[in-house]
Amino acid sequence: MSMHTLLQYKWSMMTPEFIVLITALILSLADLWMPNDKNRRPLAWIAVVGVVIALIATAGLIPAKPVSILYDTFRIDSFSKAFKLLVLAGGALCLLLALDYRPKEGLSHRGEFYYLLLCALLGAMIMASSGDLITLFVGLELLSVSSYILAGIRKTSAQSNESALKYVISGGIATAITLFGMSYIFGLTGTTNLKEMAFEVQKLADSNYQYLLALAFLLLLVGLSFKISSVPFHMWAPDVYQGAPTPVTAFLSVVSKTAGFVILLRLFITIFAAAPAHGKDPSSLLLSMQNYIAVLAGLTMIIGNTVALRQRSMKRLFAYSSIAHAGYLLVGFAAMSWVMIDSIWFYLLAYVLMNVGAFAIIQRLSDEADSDDMIHFAGLYQRNPLLAVSMGIFLLSLAGIPGTAGFIGKLNIFLGALMTEPGHYMLAAVMIATTVVSYVYYFGVFVQIFFRPADEAASVKLPVGLTVTVVLCAFGTLLFGIFPSLAYQVLAQFEHFGDFLQ
Amino acid sequence: MMEIAWIVPLFPLFSFFFLLAVGKKMKETSAYVGILMTLLSFLLSLAVLFDRLGGSTYKAEHVWLTIGSVKLTAGFAVTALNAWMLVVVSLVSFLVHIYSKGYMHGDERFSVFYAYLGLFTFAMLGLVLSPNLLQTYVFWELVGLGSFLLIGFYFYKEEAKAAAKKAFIMTRIGDVGFFIGMILLFWQVGSFAYDDIFRAAEDGTLSQTMVTLTAILIFIGAVGKSGQFPLHTWLPDAMEGPTPVSALIHAATMVAAGVYLVAALFPLYEASETAMLTVAVVGGFTALFAATIGLVQTDIKRVLAYSTVSQLGYMMLALGSGSYVAGIFHLTTHAFFKALLFLAAGSVIHAVHTQDIEKMGGLWRKMPLTGPLFLIGTLAISGVPLFSGFFSKDEILVAAWTHGHVALFWIAVVTAFFTAFYMFRLFFLVFGGEKRHDEKDVHEAPAVMTLPMIVLAVLAVAAGYVHTPWFGTFLGDWLTDGAYAHETAPGWIMAVATAVSLLGIFLAWLMYGKRSLARDWLSSRVPYTYSLLWNKYYIDELYMRTVGYAATAISLLLSYIDRFVVEGIARLIAATVHTSASLGSRMQNGQVQMYGAVTFVGLALLVVILAFTGGYL
């Protein structure tokens, strides 16, 4: 590659990535040169500002035409822009959580904590934009490796260490399965470029090749189910979520999951939608394998929601709840209606808001007590009514009660499942039934907050970072619940992601 | 001003939330919050009305929800009808808010009462502003909720509890019709917006049968809300609520919502002869039916309640006869004089602590303000010339006659006679004759209660002059945008109306005022008719014996099914959930090998299925 071609690329399209990268570099250098006894919390503000600027830059790129640079390995289409907005928003909110993270024993590696979060975020952004298996995998690993370290950043906490180790091992297995699946596709098509792959798989008329491709489909589905914590690769989530520092838990459940869905949609729609098949629906392999996704979605919803019933630890409860939400999102995918990406995007938006908001409050209460047992929520209403009401809003939204963003998100996915021909009635029924089950555990927390007496009388004070997070999240949850059209206006600019395959 | 009409309902909503939050501490000062907020609503409504008088219809809509290709909108509209209703509703609500300060004085749940009033007023104003059926339906249910809460305000009284429940269930039966009609319209038209529906009815997108069917279904909702036969039985029972509530909700505003709904959907009804005829017949029949019951009742509020049912029947008759203007005109005058009558009745009840008119009497001198005010209301409802009821009732009679409903016309005339009779029977029994109550210290109500009554009395006279054959049909011209059909009514109609009303008053005077005619000269001769009327045609008993028993039998059967089948299934499901929960958490043993194993087993299973199904599911 000559200097000339290198300069010809529209590097400006990568502005958001550069901003996050530079912020991460600044933070690491600052951390290096700062005296050891200096407080590193202000660094978090730099990180937040960097991410917010990147968010604005991404929003500025929305009107731009889809572009593909670096030999089609890096794409900026409406899909990548839309989901980058989500991961950046989620990342900024998680950084605000990290700003006010105060574990009992203190945090000796605060500098690393912040710039590793940025690195992980960068990985998620690269995943959203990659047009090649190699860049995609690099992004995935950047996200994963950073997350492994983040999970264990509390070096002296046994729980945190256990969490990190389990995460590394599970992640290793997932990576192996994913790569195995990718190798099949590479073998069948002879290329790593997604666009060329889509072109090549169309020619696979031999049913044996199609069989191999179906095998690759399952391998990728299982491998990627790690990132989105869905069945059969969901069991790591409760242990890792519980042991990891709360901002990292929030990050894993929101940003990492979003990135997981990004890569899932990108790979499956580009490659498998183009492949011919000879099964139920011969027009495309993706459609004929639809039922596998549907079954896994159903199992994910059932397992997530039922096992959550038995949890006393808030972080474990939210781990199962996050598994359940992955199930709802998979319903949106399995239905494959024409509003699929729109409904998943909206749901993830709602999920970012309500979940990070809830984690902010969990963080505050569990840091104080050095335990995340549900009992510490008892009587929150007496200790801080506004905080209790905010948590109430997040819980109602997570449960999908009308008036909140969670409801609109669920409604979209639900209607999407019924909209297709034939409709996915079973899946919709399972979704409704498990949602009802979820009321039990969400309202269990509700009861603690509003109807149980408090152990301590001391009112709960919220530090500034968490306050900003809670206010933003509660506001957004209600705003998009009452005026969903605001989010649709944003979505409308992406025109149903028509440039996905261009 | 019209652009900000949407703020009108927000004032009482604020009052609701505010009083809910801090009302307990404010105690009786909460009244000021409620009064101030409804005053603001009223002033803004007035401004909107004046704006609309000179301008044209204003409409604002935004997409609220997009599902696939269907866009649901939300917004508000200021048409002539809406602007007019806004003023009527906010004014009566404002006056009732003031009155309640005196009436509810000393009540333990004083602030709650005001909070509920705020909720109701918000819902009613929201209903009036709705530009589409869906929004109307939402507020329709909300006013129902407000009504339910306020009827059952004295929830420690068994009767109040039962009445609240009854009101909720009976109106709900109507709502089912409304809901089905609404969904049918949406299915056929693809939109909830009134304009779209009218366009579809006009250009034939809606078939004639569909127009008739949906119009009648929606009318069933109106029948429930407006207490029309056969769903009227809840309204008299609703008198268990505090009297200001009866005045506001069960006389002036909410019960008129049914009439308003038919008026708002008038172009749809006009497109179907059958639907119009149904509305007219149900209205005419209810008017006479309720008036006959009113002849013999002895509870002051129940007499007024039956007269409300009867007057609402008049309005329906007007709408069914094609006279939109007459219906709305009577709705307006009725709102004022009936609210006046209820508030005056409340003042009487407040003074003698009974509702039985047999135990009243001789109050004319004791209550120097309430007496004349009640008389004004009575004269207005009886249709005595120069009072508002005279003009609006005349308009309805003319409409029925010119539209060719001869039978309905005569029914309306007879009803007018009955109305005059039972209202003056009420008046003479309460205010005339000798004292029959045990209350020693009867005194006039405080100014905070009499003032709103005076305002209403002025309106009960003056409201008639906005639309008269003598001075000009301002309301009609404005409501119809100048297209008001000036029908040359035969002059004798007015003469007949005046004659029957005076005749009714005269007969009442003979029997209850002068007492030259024995009270039982008629009832003793037709004892069966009397007991039939006294028992309100046994409608409640009929419902109990048929629907009630059938429902009990079905519910018994269902309860067995519930106990053994449903509960069994429920227990099974609960057990399954529990087992899967404990199974799931037992698998979660904290060992990462287990997690990896589960993944591999899962993957293996999927691959095996793939292999066995020959590649594809």
Side-chain angles (χ1 to χ4, degrees):
Chain A
M1 194 191 295
S2 70
M3 201 60 195
H4 183 65
T5 21
L6 204 61
L7 287 174
Q8 260 186 346
Y9 291 128
K10 287 181 96 177
W11 292 107
S12 62
M13 301 306 275
M14 283 183 84
T15 317
E17 280 81 0
F18 283 128
I19 294 171
V20 174
L21 178 65
I22 290 167
T23 317
L25 286 176
I26 292 173
L27 285 190
S28 62
L29 292 176
D31 186 43
L32 186 65
W33 283 321
M34 266 166 104
N36 273 341
D37 53 346
K38 251 297 203 268
N39 188 1
R40 277 160 169 77
R41 280 191 56 231
L43 292 182
W45 284 114
I46 301 176
V48 171
V49 169
V51 174
V52 170
I53 295 174
L55 189 65
I56 295 167
T58 312
L61 286 178
I62 290 177
K65 286 211 167 53
V67 177
S68 178
I69 56 176
L70 293 170
Y71 296 109
D72 281 345
T73 55
F74 195 88
R75 299 173 53 88
I76 300 99
D77 50 10
S78 46
F79 178 79
S80 70
K81 283 180 271 188
F83 283 88
K84 254 184 245 176
L85 286 178
L86 283 184
V87 291
L88 283 169
L93 291 170
C94 290
L95 277 167
L96 283 171
L97 253 62
L99 168 76
D100 284 325
Y101 181 56
R102 291 186 178 85
K104 204 184 65 179
E105 79 278 1
L107 191 61
S108 49
H109 302 279
R110 238 175 225 288
E112 275 105 322
F113 190 41
Y114 298 140
Y115 64 70
L116 281 172
L117 268 173
L118 287 176
C119 289
L121 192 58
L122 186 63
M125 291 168 74
I126 293 175
M127 283 161 79
S129 264
S130 55
D132 192 288
L133 281 189
I134 304 287
T135 40
L136 207 139
F137 188 73
V138 169
L140 179 66
E141 285 307 292
L142 181 56
L143 170 63
S144 302
V145 174
S146 313
S147 309
Y148 301 150
I149 308 170
L150 282 170
I153 199 101
R154 286 171 70 180
K155 270 188 167 174
T156 52
S157 156
Q159 254 198 338
S160 182
N161 284 324
E162 180 191 336
S163 157
L165 187 65
K166 282 180 177 171
Y167 196 30
V168 174
I169 295 172
S170 303
I173 298 173
T175 309
I177 297 176
T178 313
L179 276 178
F180 192 36
M182 286 179 175
S183 70
Y184 271 113
I185 309 174
F186 177 69
L188 285 167
T189 58
T191 172
T192 57
N193 187 287
L194 292 181
K195 219 157 125 185
E196 284 169 32
M197 273 181 172
F199 185 67
E200 291 293 326
V201 288
Q202 286 173 19
K203 300 187 207 151
L204 296 176
D206 190 331
S207 70
N208 285 326
Y209 286 148
Q210 290 168 13
Y211 187 82
L212 278 179
L213 207 54
L215 207 58
F217 177 96
L218 290 181
L219 286 166
L220 278 180
L221 186 61
V222 171
L224 294 177
S225 70
F226 168 74
K227 268 273 162 281
I228 60 174
S229 66
S230 69
V231 172
F233 221 142
H234 61 283
M235 295 187 76
W236 59 273
D239 291 12
V240 174
Y241 277 27
Q242 191 183 16
T246 313
V248 177
T249 311
F251 187 84
L252 292 182
S253 82
V254 169
V255 179
S256 192
K257 197 186 289 274
T258 305
F261 272 98
V262 166
I263 175 171
L264 193 69
L265 290 170
R266 177 73 88 186
L267 279 180
F268 281 42
I269 297 177
T270 334
I271 302 173
F272 297 113
H278 70 258
K280 182 186 70 164
D281 187 341
S283 62
S284 114
L285 185 87
L286 185 61
L287 283 172
S288 75
M289 298 292 280
Q290 210 174 1
N291 282 347
Y292 286 94
I293 307 175
V295 169
L296 291 184
L299 284 173
T300 309
M301 290 187 287
I302 292 171
I303 291 179
N305 280 316
T306 51
V307 184
L309 292 173
R310 294 176 66 92
Q311 307 306 319
R312 294 285 311 169
S313 147
M314 284 303 282
K315 278 158 93 176
R316 283 187 89 82
L317 180 89
F318 269 75
Y320 283 107
S321 132
S322 120
I323 293 173
H325 285 280
Y328 305 143
L329 283 157
L330 273 182
V331 171
F333 184 36
M336 294 182 191
S337 67
W338 60 277
V339 293
M340 168 174 77
I341 303 181
D342 301 55
S343 61
I344 290 178
W345 186 87
F346 188 95
Y347 198 93
L348 281 168
L349 171 70
Y351 183 68
V352 166
L353 292 170
M354 59 201 185
N355 221 36
V356 177
F359 269 118
I361 297 171
I362 293 174
Q363 176 179 324
R364 171 67 186 78
L365 292 174
S366 57
D367 277 1
E368 179 188 62
D370 196 33
S371 133
D372 65 341
D373 196 284
M374 203 188 282
I375 200 78
H376 304 301
F377 274 78
L380 180 61
Y381 182 64
Q382 282 126 40
R383 299 178 63 195
N384 186 341
L386 280 176
L387 200 61
V389 169
S390 308
M391 188 67 186
I393 293 171
F394 300 136
L395 289 170
L396 289 177
S397 183
L398 284 161
I401 303 294
T404 58
F407 168 73
I408 305 285
K410 239 176 217 160
L411 185 72
N412 279 336
I413 287 183
F414 184 74
L415 290 176
L418 298 179
M419 205 189 272
T420 52
E421 200 59 49
H424 296 79
Y425 299 106
M426 264 308 281
L427 209 49
V430 172
M431 187 169 166
I432 291 286
T434 52
T435 300
V436 172
V437 172
S438 78
Y439 292 166
V440 177
Y441 59 84
Y442 288 130
F443 286 109
V445 184
F446 221 81
V447 167
Q448 292 285 345
I449 293 175
F450 289 97
F451 303 116
R452 292 275 182 277
D455 283 343
E456 310 173 51
S459 72
V460 181
K461 290 243 164 47
L462 211 57
V464 58
L466 294 184
T467 314
V468 173
T469 316
V470 170
V471 168
L472 280 178
C473 290
F475 178 71
T477 305
L478 289 179
L479 185 74
F480 294 125
I482 298 168
F483 303 109
S485 52
L486 292 175
Y488 290 126
Q489 279 162 14
V490 177
L491 262 180
Q493 304 189 28
F494 302 121
E495 289 157 353
H496 298 299
F497 306 100
D499 53 4
F500 195 89
L501 296 171
Q502 276 169 23
Chain B
M1 275 301 158
M2 286 196 275
E3 306 79 54
I4 54 162
W6 57 274
I7 300 178
V8 174
L10 297 187
F11 293 119
L13 182 67
F14 168 78
S15 155
F16 168 64
F17 281 119
F18 185 76
L19 291 180
L20 221 52
V22 295
K24 258 199 183 135
K25 281 180 204 139
M26 293 183 63
K27 301 227 171 64
E28 302 215 349
T29 43
S30 359
Y32 296 112
V33 178
I35 292 170
L36 179 71
M37 285 300 133
T38 38
L39 176 65
L40 290 175
S41 268
F42 170 60
L43 292 178
L44 188 57
S45 305
L46 215 54
V48 169
L49 177 71
F50 280 119
D51 216 14
R52 180 62 184 76
L53 279 178
S56 55
T57 295
Y58 179 84
K59 216 173 140 195
E61 273 188 313
H62 294 286
V63 175
W64 173 67
L65 193 60
T66 317
I67 304 168
S69 56
V70 178
K71 284 187 168 53
L72 296 186
T73 55
F76 70 97
V78 185
T79 62
L81 176 64
N82 296 5
W84 184 250
M85 288 294 292
L86 272 187
V87 172
V88 173
V89 171
S90 57
L91 174 59
V92 176
S93 174
F94 169 58
L95 292 173
V96 166
H97 267 82
I98 299 179
Y99 178 91
S100 304
K101 186 174 181 312
Y103 190 87
M104 299 304 288
H105 173 69
D107 196 286
E108 227 171 79
R109 292 163 70 233
F110 189 88
S111 67
V112 177
F113 180 80
Y114 268 91
Y116 287 172
L117 277 189
L119 173 68
F120 170 78
T121 310
F122 155 70
M124 192 66 208
L125 292 169
L127 172 72
V128 168
L129 279 172
S130 301
N132 61 53
L133 269 181
L134 187 67
Q135 220 174 317
T136 305
Y137 187 78
V138 171
F139 285 111
W140 182 268
E141 294 294 336
L142 265 180
V143 288
L145 172 69
S147 154
F148 171 79
L149 290 173
L150 284 165
I151 296 173
F153 187 73
Y154 300 126
F155 57 83
Y156 38 84
K157 267 169 56 184
E158 273 309 316
E159 295 88 1
K161 251 192 293 189
K165 214 160 68 185
K166 187 169 174 184
F168 203 67
I169 294 169
M170 293 299 275
T171 50
R172 183 49 47 93
I173 293 171
D175 294 349
V176 173
F178 182 7
F179 187 75
I180 298 172
M182 178 175 81
I183 295 300
L184 273 181
L185 275 176
F186 182 68
W187 177 46
Q188 294 284 324
V189 182
S191 161
F192 286 116
Y194 287 146
D195 299 343
D196 296 337
I197 292 170
F198 300 155
R199 212 171 301 128
E202 219 168 83
D203 66 14
T205 316
L206 272 176
S207 70
Q208 191 59 36
T209 352
M210 205 31 99
V211 170
T212 309
L213 181 65
T214 51
I216 289 179
L217 280 168
I218 290 177
F219 179 61
I220 292 175
V223 164
K225 210 56 136 196
S226 286
Q228 298 293 288
F229 181 83
L231 296 178
H232 63 280
T233 56
W234 67 271
L235 187 52
D237 286 15
M239 297 301 131
E240 291 297 339
T243 308
V245 167
S246 309
L248 175 63
I249 302 185
H250 306 113
T253 56
M254 186 191 82
V255 288
V259 178
Y260 170 77
L261 182 68
V262 175
L265 282 169
F266 203 60
L268 181 71
Y269 284 87
E270 270 184 319
S272 160
E273 266 305 307
T274 324
M276 286 295 262
L277 192 66
T278 313
V279 174
V281 169
V282 170
F285 178 76
T286 308
L288 182 64
F289 172 83
T292 53
I293 299 176
L295 293 175
V296 300
Q297 299 302 314
T298 55
D299 182 313
I300 183 169
K301 283 180 75 183
R302 275 175 187 265
V303 175
L304 290 176
Y306 278 106
S307 97
T308 305
V309 173
S310 168
Q311 299 297 313
L312 290 165
Y314 262 126
M315 298 173 210
M316 288 295 186
L317 171 63
L319 292 173
S321 304
S323 182
Y324 173 77
V325 174
I328 296 302
F329 185 30
H330 197 60
L331 190 162
T332 311
T333 57
H334 175 258
F336 295 139
F337 64 66
K338 188 52 69 65
L340 167 63
L341 284 168
F342 265 112
L343 293 188
S347 157
V348 169
I349 296 165
H350 199 66
V352 296
H353 298 111
T354 174
Q355 302 195 9
D356 190 347
I357 52 177
E358 300 290 353
K359 291 186 185 139
M360 293 179 182
L363 291 175
W364 181 260
R365 237 165 271 125
K366 299 268 182 183
M367 306 186 80
L369 268 173
T370 306
L373 290 171
F374 194 89
L375 181 62
I376 291 174
T378 315
L379 288 167
I381 193 175
S382 305
V384 172
L386 304 181
F387 289 86
S388 62
F390 168 72
F391 296 112
S392 54
K393 205 174 277 183
D394 183 60
E395 190 73 23
I396 294 174
L397 292 174
V398 170
W401 181 260
T402 50
H403 204 257
H405 293 318
V406 180
L408 289 173
F409 169 77
W410 288 111
I411 285 180
V413 170
V414 175
T415 307
F417 168 72
F418 284 153
T419 308
F421 175 77
Y422 70 70
M423 282 311 296
F424 271 90
R425 165 179 174 268
L426 185 66
F427 176 76
F428 288 126
L429 280 176
V430 172
F431 292 99
E434 293 303 306
K435 167 184 165 188
R436 293 185 302 277
H437 53 86
D438 329 312
E439 206 66 34
K440 292 211 176 60
D441 187 27
V442 175
H443 48 79
E444 184 54 90
V448 70
M449 284 165 73
T450 50
L451 265 176
M453 282 153 58
I454 292 170
V455 176
L456 282 170
V458 171
L459 287 166
V461 181
Y465 293 92
V466 298
H467 184 95
T468 62
W470 306 335
F471 307 114
T473 51
F474 309 114
L475 179 67
D477 294 335
W478 179 62
L479 278 178
T480 55
D481 259 339
Y484 178 65
H486 290 271
E487 274 150 349
T488 41
W492 58 267
I493 291 183
M494 196 176 270
V496 167
T498 313
V500 290
S501 111
L502 291 178
L503 196 65
I505 297 172
F506 180 65
L507 189 63
W509 178 70
L510 280 184
M511 283 168 73
Y512 301 99
K514 196 171 166 233
R515 293 173 197 274
S516 57
L517 212 55
R519 281 183 63 177
D520 58 351
W521 71 274
L522 187 64
S523 57
S524 60
R525 266 170 247 187
V526 282
Y528 294 110
T529 316
Y530 180 79
S531 70
L532 185 67
L533 293 181
W534 173 249
N535 289 300
K536 310 147 203 162
Y537 293 99
Y538 296 99
I539 297 283
D540 272 323
E541 285 74 8
L542 183 73
Y543 283 165
M544 196 57 225
R545 295 272 155 81
T546 55
V547 183
Y549 284 171
T552 317
I554 295 172
S555 70
L556 261 180
L557 180 72
L558 287 181
S559 87
Y560 279 110
I561 293 180
D562 194 53
R563 197 174 305 166
F564 296 110
V565 181
V566 178
E567 226 166 89
I569 295 173
R571 247 179 241 158
L572 190 72
I573 292 173
T576 323
V577 170
H578 267 282
T579 332
S580 77
S582 65
L583 204 69
S585 42
R586 209 172 316 144
M587 297 266 277
Q588 194 82 41
N589 59 1
Q591 288 178 346
V592 80
Q593 306 92 298
M594 181 66 165
Y595 307 166
V598 167
T599 309
F600 280 118
V601 170
L603 178 61
L605 269 177
L606 289 175
V607 173
V608 166
I609 293 170
L610 183 74
F612 270 93
T613 51
Y616 307 94
L617 264 182

